[in-house]
Amino acid sequence: MSLTHAPAGAVRQGSLRELNLALVLGRIAAADRPPSRADLATATGLTRATVSAVVEDLLAGRLVSESDPAPRSGAGRPARGLVLADQGPAGLGLEVNVDYLAVCVVDLTGQVRHRTVYRADLRPVAPADALARLVEMAGAARDDAALDGLTLVGAALAVPGLVDDTGLVRLAPNLGWRDVPVPALLAEHPPLIEQVPGVPALVVDNEANLAALGELHSQPPGPSSFLHISGEVGIGAGIVLDGALFRGVRGWSGEIGHLPVHPEGRPCRCGGQGCLEQYAGQEAIVSAAGLARAELPADTATARLAELAEAGDADALRALHDAGTALGVAVASVVNLLDLDTVVLGGGYAALAPWLCPPVLAEIRARVLTAAWSPVTVRPSTLGAEAAAVGAAGSVARRIVAQPAGWLARSG
C-alpha cells in the first residue's frame, strides 16, 4: 500500500505502535529500579491506557516480566514493577581469534547465559573450516539456550581484523585471512537463529570494537569515553566517545597494534616495521620472558606469565615492563590525539594489568601534555578475555530492545 498521498505529518497506526513499544521498553531497560505502569506513563507522556496496552503486549511477547512491588508506606496496594525478561529473545555472540573460538548467549537483561571456548592455533586452519567449527559450537549454544526458554534472534561475529560493511574480512593479518566472505561461508550452514524484522541475522565486526561495547555496557557502569585495548596475539583498540563507538570513515579505526613504536624495528605480519604487536603482543611477551610459546596451551600463556611475575621471576617482570613501556608509548599518542582520560586493558592484558599498568602510566605521564593536571586512569577490563563475545551477543540483545516490534510480530 502506497503512502504517497498521506497527509503531511501523518503517522501510520502500525508505526505509532512500534514507536510506543520501543519507547516503553527502552524506559524499562534504562530504569534504575523496576518502574510501574504509572511511572512509565509519567516518564513517557503516554496515557495510562496506552501504557497498559503496550505493557500487555510486551508481557505476552516475553520481553518484560513483572517484579515484586517495592515496599511503600501509605494506603493502597503497591504497584508491581516491570523488568526486562530473562526468557524469550536473546543474542548470539561469536568470536574467531588467533588461538581460540568463542560462543556466547546474552539475554535481554544483559546476563551471560551460555559461554564456550575452543582453544587451538587457528593460523593453519582454513577460514571455512574455522567457521564450520564455530557453527557447531553455536548449535550447541542454541540447544542449551532453548532449554532455558531463550530463542536466538540474531548473531554478531567478532574477528581480529578489518571488516567492511558487507561483512567481508578484508584483512586479519595474525590469522592470515584476506578478503574472506564470512557471511557467504556461514550461509552454507543451516540457520541457527530465528530471523525477525529489525534485527540482522548476522553482523561481522572487529573484535576490539565489540569488546569495547561489552565494556561500555557492563555493570557497574563506567565512563562514557575511554580507550579499550584488547591484548591477545594481536592488539586492537575500541574507541568509545560519549557513549558511542568511534569507527572512522571506513569503520577501521582502532588498529593500535600497528602503530610503530620502533620505526626501524622488527618486521610485522602487516608488512610494516616496529609495530606495537611485535613488542607487546602476547607472543612477544611470552618470548621475551624466555618461555616457549609452542609448549604452552593457549589458555595458560597469560596465566603462566602472571604466575611467574607474582613469584618475582626476573625474566617475566622484565618482559612485562618492556611490553608495558611499548604499550604506554602508543597509548600516550592516542590520549594526546583524542583527549581521553580512561584506558581499559582488556583481553589477555586484564590478567597482566598489575605489571603492565605502572609502565603504561609512566609513559603517559612523560608524554601526554595534560597529564600533570588531568590524570589518566589505566585499569583492567571488567570482562577481560570474554569482552568481545559478550559484547557481540549484547549488541544483538540491545537491538531487540530498541526494535521490539519485529520480535512481537514473529511471536504473535
Side-chain angles (χ1 to χ4, degrees), residues 116-368:
T116 54
V117 178
Y118 169 75
R119 299 193 181 276
D121 186 349
L122 296 171
R123 283 169 287 198
V125 179
D129 293 337
L131 293 171
R133 174 63 177 166
L134 193 64
V135 169
E136 290 180 15
M137 296 168 63
R142 177 199 55 192
D143 295 342
D144 283 353
L147 295 175
D148 286 340
L150 296 169
T151 302
L152 303 183
V153 175
L157 169 62
V159 295
L162 304 177
V163 185
D164 72 13
D165 56 9
T166 70
L168 178 72
V169 179
R170 289 289 187 183
L171 180 65
N174 290 311
L175 273 173
W177 289 16
R178 183 183 293 273
D179 293 331
V180 176
V182 169
L185 292 174
L186 290 176
E188 296 175 0
H189 300 273
L192 294 172
I193 63 158
E194 296 281 348
Q195 180 84 54
V196 303
V199 181
L202 175 68
V203 172
V204 185
D205 202 347
N206 177 266
E207 59 89 18
N209 284 341
L210 291 170
L213 288 177
E215 186 70 22
L216 175 66
H217 295 284
S218 64
Q219 297 296 327
S224 60
S225 297
F226 59 90
L227 176 70
H228 182 282
I229 305 175
S230 297
E232 304 290 351
V233 172
I235 305 172
I239 303 166
V240 177
L241 302 176
D242 295 328
L245 192 65
F246 175 76
R247 294 181 174 276
V249 173
R250 293 163 294 183
W252 300 341
S253 68
E255 289 296 320
I256 193 172
H258 298 289
L259 287 182
V261 292
H262 297 290
E264 305 301 324
R266 303 168 190 163
C268 181
R269 294 182 185 92
C270 73
Q273 282 184 271
C275 294
L276 176 63
E277 283 182 4
Q278 299 305 310
Y279 299 89
Q282 186 182 86
E283 290 186 337
I285 302 174
V286 167
S287 176
L291 301 175
R293 180 68 172 84
E295 297 175 3
L296 286 173
D299 58 336
T300 63
T302 298
R304 180 59 176 156
L305 277 168
E307 180 182 282
L308 289 170
E310 189 71 39
D313 181 86
D315 290 337
L317 290 172
R318 182 173 56 254
L320 288 167
H321 181 273
D322 291 347
T325 298
L327 183 59
V329 171
V331 167
S333 295
V334 177
V335 171
N336 271 327
L337 184 66
L338 298 178
D339 187 28
L340 296 168
D341 64 0
T342 303
V343 177
V344 179
L345 301 183
Y349 283 162
L352 301 174
W355 301 280
L356 293 174
C357 283
V360 170
L361 281 168
E363 292 302 316
I364 289 173
R365 290 171 185 146
R367 298 173 184 274
V368 173

